[in-house]
Amino acid sequence: MLDIPSSVSVDVEALLAAQNHMGVCDAIEQYAPVGKPDTMTAPHFPKVAGIDSTVPPPAHTVAPASPEPAPPSSPGAPGAPGALIQDRLAGWVSDLTTLHELTERLARTAFLDDALHEVLRAGAALVGARRGLVVLEPADGLGPDTTVGLGLARADLGHIETVPRGATSYGRILDRTDGTGEPEVHADLLSEDGLDPRHREVAARLGYAASFALPLATDAAGRLGAAVWLYDEPAEPVERQRHLVGLYTRYATEHLARLLELERARTKSRTIAEELLPPRLPRVAGVQLAARHRTGPRGGGDWYDALPLPEGALGLTVGSVTGSGASAVAAMGRLRASLRAYAVMEGEDPVAVLSDLELLLRLTEPARSATALFAYCEPALRKIVLAGAGHSPPLVIGERRTEFVETSLSAPLGMLACWEAPSVEFSPEPGETVLIYTDGLLHRTGDPMDRAFARLHAAAAGVPRTIRNDPGAIADHVLHTVLPDGLDAADSDEDVVLLAARFE
């Protein structure tokens, strides 16, 4: 208990109430005792919530310069105990504010990889380290198992992984029965007795001399992995820092557990969608084929297909089912399988193929609509007959022209009581590539549709001459030009399908 003289009165309730209106610093200043000195009587180190501010600083190989001591205040001097209480209150508020800001930044991450990087950055700031790594290895064995580094290149992580698992901090944490317990602290690695020779070699090569490791585990989430922060010189976090980083990692583990479940669900959805698409494209004389496909994070219903037909013909199709998730993926699989059957029976008439597909959709999927394009190709004659239902027009790329094919306007399948639209016929020149795609390619640009079409046309027109003989290279060039951020842009839920057919 603090012996506060009767001449000093600290109204804590008034202080806390004032913080709601004027901020912590202003409130402390207004309610400070008259006798409070302008400067502190002793050096103060960074505060950590709930930890006494008199904990000594961390030990380093080079002791920090100590400031000149201020004249000690008399125990009976007015204001000294009140200043101590206010100092502690300010420290607690400051530490809780820091923790709140760091957890808010973590809560804004929506993907597992982003969250792992944020945990490393925040933890490094809390413990005073510059580098670190997170080893994700869920105890249930369902994965994903991965290692993410901060200030460490892929080659550096590879060097660390050559150290025997039992000699590493994260290995000892992960090999525990429950993956929890005390942190692994190595204040001076290179001077430790019994340090594994390979560990000593790697530490000297990468230039770290100390490490501090914590388990990423809670009773609710179980063991997810371990986080390790590396110091360039012998050092270790003080008790205040350990307390605060412990609070942070407990919250981070719960957040990572939620993102882990989402990542697993996304992976399952992508795997199912990929398995429902053709594993390889057929080889048909007179035409070269290439396809690019990426499922959005929620799992979508875009598809493509290339089907050899009788008499050397080829059926090409792309399409998209409304919705996302497992139900959309399942609906996409059913429609694609049905379209293949209709193409074999009456593929030379694309309108009939789409009419049958529309009837099936209305009867079996009354709450859905879909866009689709089907093209009946005769490579030997370089002749294409196609029909589209609410779909974007194909793009022809050649030496002397880059233009969209003129197709008739049509509603998507399932939108009208009876779908029917005329087909169009055109003949690509030798060496020209026909590009068919889903609307996700245009939507991912974030531009209005007219500008997205202009961007697609410009990308196709800019295909270098050196790659015009390779439909796969053409597709990659178009994708990288239209979508500079790539197909993995985290802010897009759209599927992307691109099917290129080059006629010889």
Side-chain angles (χ1 to χ4, degrees):
M1 297 294 293
L2 292 174
D3 185 14
I4 302 177
S6 59
S7 60
V8 178
S9 175
V10 180
D11 191 346
V12 176
E13 294 182 356
L15 172 61
L16 296 179
Q19 293 173 10
N20 296 327
H21 302 284
M22 63 185 69
V24 174
C25 295
D26 294 337
I28 292 175
E29 180 178 353
Q30 175 169 332
Y31 287 92
V34 177
K36 185 178 186 299
D38 294 334
T39 58
M40 296 296 181
T41 58
H44 292 270
F45 302 100
K47 308 297 186 301
V48 176
I51 302 300
D52 194 307
S53 61
T54 60
V55 177
H60 292 276
T61 51
V62 180
S66 58
E68 296 183 1
S73 58
S74 172
L84 177 60
I85 292 178
Q86 292 172 15
D87 186 53
R88 289 189 179 182
L89 284 174
W92 295 338
V93 171
S94 174
D95 294 335
L96 290 175
T97 301
T98 299
L99 186 63
H100 176 69
E101 291 175 353
L102 292 177
T103 53
E104 270 200 336
R105 283 171 50 181
L106 179 63
R108 287 194 292 268
T109 58
F111 292 86
L112 184 61
D113 190 65
D114 295 339
L116 292 174
H117 282 93
E118 179 59 33
V119 169
L120 277 177
R121 286 191 293 267
L126 291 174
V127 302
R130 190 172 62 89
R131 294 180 290 175
L133 65 151
V134 167
V135 180
L136 188 68
E137 191 176 299
D140 58 13
L142 300 179
D145 296 345
T146 185
T147 301
V148 175
L150 172 69
L152 297 170
R154 186 178 298 273
D156 299 333
L157 294 175
H159 286 305
I160 293 175
E161 290 175 349
T162 63
V163 179
R165 181 183 176 94
T168 62
S169 299
Y170 67 83
R172 286 189 287 269
I173 288 176
L174 296 177
D175 289 342
R176 295 171 186 167
T177 304
D178 56 357
T180 61
E182 295 298 319
E184 289 278 338
V185 184
H186 299 274
D188 192 350
L189 273 171
L190 300 182
S191 64
E192 281 189 9
D193 295 333
L195 183 67
D196 184 86
R198 179 57 184 167
H199 195 177
R200 188 185 305 275
E201 179 185 347
V202 170
R205 178 168 187 164
L206 300 184
Y208 64 89
S211 67
F212 177 73
L214 280 176
L216 297 176
T218 63
D219 293 338
R223 190 207 73 196
L224 300 185
V228 185
W229 290 278
L230 306 175
Y231 296 89
D232 296 341
E233 297 179 355
E236 63 178 295
V238 298
E239 186 179 353
R240 296 191 310 274
Q241 294 171 315
R242 296 189 192 189
H243 178 65
L244 192 56
V245 76
L247 293 174
Y248 177 80
T249 53
R250 282 196 289 273
Y251 171 83
T253 301
E254 299 292 340
H255 183 68
L256 291 173
R258 292 188 290 269
L259 293 183
L260 179 63
E261 292 301 318
L262 287 175
E263 182 65 23
R264 288 174 175 175
R266 291 166 181 158
T267 301
K268 290 178 182 179
S269 181
R270 285 194 298 266
T271 301
I272 293 173
E274 295 292 341
E275 291 297 324
L276 290 175
L277 296 174
R280 64 182 63 86
L281 295 173
R283 294 185 177 181
V284 178
V287 64
Q288 296 175 289
L289 300 174
R292 299 293 183 267
H293 172 257
R294 183 59 52 89
T295 301
R298 296 182 180 178
D302 287 17
W303 82 81
Y304 70 92
D305 205 351
L307 179 66
L309 297 175
E311 300 179 0
L314 176 69
L316 300 177
T317 178
V318 296
S320 176
V321 175
T322 57
S324 62
S327 61
V329 172
M332 175 269 286
R334 291 190 291 268
L335 286 184
R336 174 179 168 267
S338 301
L339 192 147
R340 289 173 69 91
Y342 299 146
V344 170
M345 293 186 294
E346 46 193 6
E348 67 278 0
D349 186 358
V351 173
V353 172
L354 294 186
S355 295
D356 292 342
L357 191 65
E358 194 273 339
L359 178 60
L360 176 72
L361 183 67
R362 268 197 298 121
L363 295 176
T364 61
E365 309 277 350
R368 293 191 185 276
S369 63
T371 64
L373 183 145
F374 179 76
Y376 179 80
C377 309
E378 296 180 83
L381 303 176
R382 292 194 304 279
K383 174 184 174 182
I384 299 178
V385 181
L386 65 86
H391 213 79
S392 301
L395 183 61
V396 179
I397 305 171
E399 292 288 341
R400 292 179 291 181
R401 64 171 176 170
T402 300
E403 61 186 24
F404 290 102
V405 177
E406 294 186 5
T407 57
S408 57
L409 296 176
S410 169
L413 301 176
M415 297 293 289
L416 302 177
C418 181
W419 179 89
E420 186 171 345
S423 61
V424 297
E425 179 180 328
F426 68 99
S427 298
E429 298 294 330
E432 289 187 333
T433 299
V434 177
L435 211 61
I436 55 179
Y437 49 91
T438 57
D439 291 343
L441 177 63
L442 304 174
H443 292 318
R444 279 209 182 196
T445 64
D447 293 335
M449 291 303 288
D450 56 342
R451 293 183 61 185
F453 275 115
R455 179 185 290 192
L456 175 59
H457 185 275
V463 173
R465 291 179 179 272
T466 55
I467 65 172
R468 287 183 180 267
N469 293 331
D470 184 354
I474 292 175
D476 290 334
H477 173 83
V478 169
L479 282 174
H480 294 154
T481 306
V482 174
L483 304 175
D485 294 334
L487 289 174
D488 293 323
D491 58 347
S492 177
D493 294 334
E494 297 286 345
D495 290 8
V496 173
V497 165
L498 196 63
L499 182 59
R502 180 182 179 274
F503 289 83
E504 299 174 352

